[in-house]
Amino acid sequence: MTFSPNKRILIVGAGAFGTSTAYHLSQRGYNSIRVLDRHAVPSCEAASTDISKVIRSDYNEPLYCKMGIESIEAWRDWDMFEGLYHVPGWILSACKLSVPFVEGSVETSKKLGVEGLEILTPEEIRDKLPLVKGKLDGWNINVWNPTAGWANSGEAVRRMALAAERNGVEFVSGDRGYVRKLKYASDGTTCTGVVTQDGTVYEADLVILAAGAWMPSLIDLHDQLTAKGHSVAHIQLTPEETKEYASLPILDNLELGYFFPPQEDGIFKMAHSQFITNTAIDPVSGLTTSIPHTFVQSPTDDLPLEIEATMRRNLRRVFPQLADRPFCYTRLCWDADTADRHFLVTPHPTQKNLFIATGGSAHGFKFLPIVGKYIADHIEGKLDADVVHHWRWRAGETMNTKNLAHLDPELELADLTGWKGRREREGRVKAKL
């Protein structure tokens, strides 16, 4: 589109993609931007809202490796992110299915000049990190990268939203920000705005859908996106343990879970790498798809028993001394995955004035500083043709699903046990009356 400062722009979703897009468009002089989300920014249900997310450039796809390097420069240099970015390095590992991804990441990183990469055996990991006392069974390929780190992701999104607000962007939350359907002109194909939970109608010249895991139930994307949740848990360390574990790097086995060094308050974060789907029918759109089931929506629920047992087995492989410690916090973190892990950032092919910006695929947050720049370039017709091709609308196409991360088959929530009402059953919350 041609630049018009007064063009009314609606962005649905205040996660990483939506907030970054709002910021970068506002930096370019657009002065009528409104961001809608069910929750106040940083949205408590967005995949990007967390205490930590990995910031790295390890990819077997050159596009994301280059974007990772560009993002790292921003995380390091922008005043906006001061104090949020930490570089303890990380060990990227795989068991079986993700081994080709790790091997390709090493090759691509070296070609792009990433230095310090080192292949480690489990024995060498234990020598390097005495706190790793487990057998590391299943850690079959391990790559040390000293340039990788993590950022306080929720605070980073909040700061970028504040910067966007200073540029005139309006953020709306609650039922007035909870978009339930799109509004169209009489031709049925020109999107003119959205309708929210309380019936508020917002008119716009351009609607940008950046609703992440809620996208497939909001609009028919022809199976290009699947909402997938992965299980996150925190363990509270003692002050003495916090000091002891503080020097750890991130350890991430793409099939057996990841582990972060503790926060200053002693929170040790871990996650399970196998994803969960939740197939249901959205009551408004009528679409049958995977729809996020969160503990914000259902505070008496908790992790399925099978998932927690697997997480503890995976923890025992690395840190057996922590394997039986209670979880002080749990979450199902939902994102929108594409089959080929490329983002879906494109004009809608048949609906005018509607732009899609989603598909983080469990790796999108690290690009928070810059992804909005790429999206804004695409909207203005300036994005590199190769990137446009990678992020195109690709419904019905056969996707390349080889050599990717996270290739384990998903688990359906309804097939798992013990999660429904678990917190209430175990006396950790009071049931809602």
Side-chain angles (χ1 to χ4, degrees), residues 205-227:
D205 302 306
L206 176 67
V207 175
I208 303 170
L209 297 182
W214 283 263
M215 286 283 289
S217 55
L218 178 63
I219 182 174
D220 188 356
L221 295 171
H222 303 278
D223 299 320
Q224 293 178 92
L225 287 180
T226 302

mmCIF file of all heavy atoms in Angstrom, residues 205-227:
data_model
loop_
_atom_site.group_PDB
_atom_site.id
_atom_site.type_symbol
_atom_site.label_atom_id
_atom_site.label_comp_id
_atom_site.label_asym_id
_atom_site.label_seq_id
_atom_site.Cartn_x
_atom_site.Cartn_y
_atom_site.Cartn_z
ATOM 1 N N ASP A 205 -9.230 0.824 7.584
ATOM 2 C CA ASP A 205 -8.838 0.724 6.179
ATOM 3 C C ASP A 205 -7.952 -0.500 5.946
ATOM 4 O O ASP A 205 -7.826 -0.968 4.817
ATOM 5 C CB ASP A 205 -8.081 1.986 5.762
ATOM 6 C CG ASP A 205 -8.905 3.242 5.968
ATOM 7 O OD1 ASP A 205 -10.040 3.290 5.440
ATOM 8 O OD2 ASP A 205 -8.438 4.159 6.674
ATOM 9 N N LEU A 206 -7.315 -0.965 7.028
ATOM 10 C CA LEU A 206 -6.483 -2.157 6.955
ATOM 11 C C LEU A 206 -6.597 -2.899 8.279
ATOM 12 O O LEU A 206 -6.418 -2.310 9.345
ATOM 13 C CB LEU A 206 -5.014 -1.786 6.691
ATOM 14 C CG LEU A 206 -4.014 -2.953 6.696
ATOM 15 C CD1 LEU A 206 -4.270 -3.888 5.510
ATOM 16 C CD2 LEU A 206 -2.576 -2.436 6.673
ATOM 17 N N VAL A 207 -6.897 -4.195 8.204
ATOM 18 C CA VAL A 207 -6.949 -5.049 9.385
ATOM 19 C C VAL A 207 -5.785 -6.040 9.299
ATOM 20 O O VAL A 207 -5.644 -6.760 8.315
ATOM 21 C CB VAL A 207 -8.290 -5.803 9.486
ATOM 22 C CG1 VAL A 207 -8.272 -6.783 10.657
ATOM 23 C CG2 VAL A 207 -9.446 -4.818 9.626
ATOM 24 N N ILE A 208 -4.949 -6.039 10.337
ATOM 25 C CA ILE A 208 -3.809 -6.947 10.413
ATOM 26 C C ILE A 208 -4.109 -7.970 11.500
ATOM 27 O O ILE A 208 -4.259 -7.620 12.675
ATOM 28 C CB ILE A 208 -2.507 -6.193 10.743
ATOM 29 C CG1 ILE A 208 -2.234 -5.101 9.706
ATOM 30 C CG2 ILE A 208 -1.326 -7.155 10.834
ATOM 31 C CD1 ILE A 208 -1.099 -4.157 10.091
ATOM 32 N N LEU A 209 -4.210 -9.229 11.114
ATOM 33 C CA LEU A 209 -4.499 -10.291 12.070
ATOM 34 C C LEU A 209 -3.188 -10.880 12.570
ATOM 35 O O LEU A 209 -2.442 -11.511 11.813
ATOM 36 C CB LEU A 209 -5.353 -11.377 11.429
ATOM 37 C CG LEU A 209 -6.752 -10.959 10.955
ATOM 38 C CD1 LEU A 209 -7.497 -12.164 10.387
ATOM 39 C CD2 LEU A 209 -7.545 -10.319 12.083
ATOM 40 N N ALA A 210 -2.903 -10.669 13.850
ATOM 41 C CA ALA A 210 -1.680 -11.164 14.478
ATOM 42 C C ALA A 210 -2.039 -11.843 15.801
ATOM 43 O O ALA A 210 -1.399 -11.618 16.822
ATOM 44 C CB ALA A 210 -0.702 -10.008 14.709
ATOM 45 N N ALA A 211 -3.060 -12.688 15.739
ATOM 46 C CA ALA A 211 -3.634 -13.273 16.951
ATOM 47 C C ALA A 211 -3.006 -14.607 17.331
ATOM 48 O O ALA A 211 -3.542 -15.316 18.190
ATOM 49 C CB ALA A 211 -5.146 -13.433 16.783
ATOM 50 N N GLY A 212 -1.891 -14.967 16.725
ATOM 51 C CA GLY A 212 -1.141 -16.149 17.136
ATOM 52 C C GLY A 212 -1.971 -17.413 17.165
ATOM 53 O O GLY A 212 -2.655 -17.758 16.192
ATOM 54 N N ALA A 213 -1.946 -18.112 18.297
ATOM 55 C CA ALA A 213 -2.599 -19.415 18.400
ATOM 56 C C ALA A 213 -4.114 -19.338 18.250
ATOM 57 O O ALA A 213 -4.770 -20.364 18.014
ATOM 58 C CB ALA A 213 -2.244 -20.061 19.732
ATOM 59 N N TRP A 214 -4.692 -18.136 18.387
ATOM 60 C CA TRP A 214 -6.141 -17.978 18.242
ATOM 61 C C TRP A 214 -6.542 -17.716 16.791
ATOM 62 O O TRP A 214 -7.733 -17.655 16.485
ATOM 63 C CB TRP A 214 -6.626 -16.860 19.163
ATOM 64 C CG TRP A 214 -6.712 -17.316 20.582
ATOM 65 C CD1 TRP A 214 -7.836 -17.752 21.242
ATOM 66 C CD2 TRP A 214 -5.644 -17.432 21.528
ATOM 67 N NE1 TRP A 214 -7.517 -18.127 22.524
ATOM 68 C CE2 TRP A 214 -6.182 -17.937 22.737
ATOM 69 C CE3 TRP A 214 -4.284 -17.165 21.472
ATOM 70 C CZ2 TRP A 214 -5.397 -18.174 23.867
ATOM 71 C CZ3 TRP A 214 -3.497 -17.406 22.603
ATOM 72 C CH2 TRP A 214 -4.049 -17.898 23.777
ATOM 73 N N MET A 215 -5.576 -17.598 15.904
ATOM 74 C CA MET A 215 -5.885 -17.320 14.498
ATOM 75 C C MET A 215 -6.710 -18.422 13.829
ATOM 76 O O MET A 215 -7.690 -18.130 13.137
ATOM 77 C CB MET A 215 -4.592 -17.094 13.717
ATOM 78 C CG MET A 215 -3.926 -15.767 13.973
ATOM 79 S SD MET A 215 -4.727 -14.392 13.136
ATOM 80 C CE MET A 215 -4.278 -14.746 11.439
ATOM 81 N N PRO A 216 -6.352 -19.707 13.975
ATOM 82 C CA PRO A 216 -7.092 -20.740 13.227
ATOM 83 C C PRO A 216 -8.561 -20.856 13.603
ATOM 84 O O PRO A 216 -9.353 -21.381 12.813
ATOM 85 C CB PRO A 216 -6.339 -22.034 13.590
ATOM 86 C CG PRO A 216 -4.989 -21.598 14.047
ATOM 87 C CD PRO A 216 -5.214 -20.283 14.720
ATOM 88 N N SER A 217 -8.934 -20.377 14.807
ATOM 89 C CA SER A 217 -10.341 -20.420 15.198
ATOM 90 C C SER A 217 -11.066 -19.112 14.912
ATOM 91 O O SER A 217 -12.286 -19.033 15.029
ATOM 92 C CB SER A 217 -10.470 -20.772 16.682
ATOM 93 O OG SER A 217 -9.723 -19.893 17.490
ATOM 94 N N LEU A 218 -10.324 -18.088 14.514
ATOM 95 C CA LEU A 218 -10.919 -16.790 14.195
ATOM 96 C C LEU A 218 -11.291 -16.681 12.726
ATOM 97 O O LEU A 218 -12.337 -16.134 12.365
ATOM 98 C CB LEU A 218 -9.938 -15.663 14.567
ATOM 99 C CG LEU A 218 -10.367 -14.229 14.258
ATOM 100 C CD1 LEU A 218 -11.614 -13.852 15.059
ATOM 101 C CD2 LEU A 218 -9.219 -13.261 14.560
ATOM 102 N N ILE A 219 -10.438 -17.223 11.861
ATOM 103 C CA ILE A 219 -10.630 -17.128 10.418
ATOM 104 C C ILE A 219 -10.156 -18.423 9.770
ATOM 105 O O ILE A 219 -9.202 -19.045 10.247
ATOM 106 C CB ILE A 219 -9.853 -15.914 9.844
ATOM 107 C CG1 ILE A 219 -10.089 -15.771 8.342
ATOM 108 C CG2 ILE A 219 -8.389 -15.978 10.187
ATOM 109 C CD1 ILE A 219 -9.457 -14.514 7.744
ATOM 110 N N ASP A 220 -10.816 -18.830 8.714
ATOM 111 C CA ASP A 220 -10.458 -20.072 8.027
ATOM 112 C C ASP A 220 -9.147 -19.874 7.265
ATOM 113 O O ASP A 220 -9.090 -19.149 6.273
ATOM 114 C CB ASP A 220 -11.570 -20.471 7.053
ATOM 115 C CG ASP A 220 -11.347 -21.855 6.460
ATOM 116 O OD1 ASP A 220 -10.289 -22.475 6.747
ATOM 117 O OD2 ASP A 220 -12.218 -22.326 5.707
ATOM 118 N N LEU A 221 -8.112 -20.507 7.736
ATOM 119 C CA LEU A 221 -6.796 -20.418 7.103
ATOM 120 C C LEU A 221 -6.446 -21.687 6.346
ATOM 121 O O LEU A 221 -5.302 -21.898 5.957
ATOM 122 C CB LEU A 221 -5.724 -20.128 8.170
ATOM 123 C CG LEU A 221 -5.863 -18.763 8.845
ATOM 124 C CD1 LEU A 221 -4.919 -18.653 10.029
ATOM 125 C CD2 LEU A 221 -5.588 -17.642 7.849
ATOM 126 N N HIS A 222 -7.435 -22.531 6.127
ATOM 127 C CA HIS A 222 -7.280 -23.713 5.282
ATOM 128 C C HIS A 222 -6.113 -24.592 5.742
ATOM 129 O O HIS A 222 -5.276 -25.017 4.945
ATOM 130 C CB HIS A 222 -7.122 -23.311 3.810
ATOM 131 C CG HIS A 222 -8.260 -22.489 3.289
ATOM 132 N ND1 HIS A 222 -9.449 -23.033 2.857
ATOM 133 C CD2 HIS A 222 -8.404 -21.134 3.175
ATOM 134 C CE1 HIS A 222 -10.274 -22.069 2.475
ATOM 135 N NE2 HIS A 222 -9.665 -20.904 2.660
ATOM 136 N N ASP A 223 -6.094 -24.838 7.034
ATOM 137 C CA ASP A 223 -5.137 -25.770 7.647
ATOM 138 C C ASP A 223 -3.678 -25.334 7.520
ATOM 139 O O ASP A 223 -2.772 -26.160 7.636
ATOM 140 C CB ASP A 223 -5.297 -27.182 7.061
ATOM 141 C CG ASP A 223 -6.681 -27.749 7.310
ATOM 142 O OD1 ASP A 223 -7.200 -27.537 8.418
ATOM 143 O OD2 ASP A 223 -7.242 -28.386 6.399
ATOM 144 N N GLN A 224 -3.439 -24.051 7.319
ATOM 145 C CA GLN A 224 -2.051 -23.587 7.257
ATOM 146 C C GLN A 224 -1.445 -23.403 8.644
ATOM 147 O O GLN A 224 -0.220 -23.361 8.776
ATOM 148 C CB GLN A 224 -1.978 -22.254 6.513
ATOM 149 C CG GLN A 224 -2.322 -22.349 5.040
ATOM 150 C CD GLN A 224 -2.273 -20.989 4.385
ATOM 151 O OE1 GLN A 224 -1.253 -20.567 3.842
ATOM 152 N NE2 GLN A 224 -3.384 -20.271 4.442
ATOM 153 N N LEU A 225 -2.284 -23.254 9.658
ATOM 154 C CA LEU A 225 -1.818 -23.050 11.026
ATOM 155 C C LEU A 225 -2.475 -24.054 11.955
ATOM 156 O O LEU A 225 -3.638 -24.398 11.778
ATOM 157 C CB LEU A 225 -2.177 -21.649 11.528
ATOM 158 C CG LEU A 225 -1.424 -20.442 10.985
ATOM 159 C CD1 LEU A 225 -1.975 -19.187 11.648
ATOM 160 C CD2 LEU A 225 0.060 -20.553 11.265
ATOM 161 N N THR A 226 -1.716 -24.485 12.955
ATOM 162 C CA THR A 226 -2.265 -25.328 14.016
ATOM 163 C C THR A 226 -1.868 -24.726 15.358
ATOM 164 O O THR A 226 -0.685 -24.445 15.587
ATOM 165 C CB THR A 226 -1.722 -26.765 13.928
ATOM 166 O OG1 THR A 226 -2.031 -27.311 12.649
ATOM 167 C CG2 THR A 226 -2.341 -27.638 15.017
ATOM 168 N N ALA A 227 -2.845 -24.523 16.220
ATOM 169 C CA ALA A 227 -2.551 -24.049 17.572
ATOM 170 C C ALA A 227 -1.975 -25.206 18.378
ATOM 171 O O ALA A 227 -2.608 -26.250 18.523
ATOM 172 C CB ALA A 227 -3.814 -23.520 18.237
#
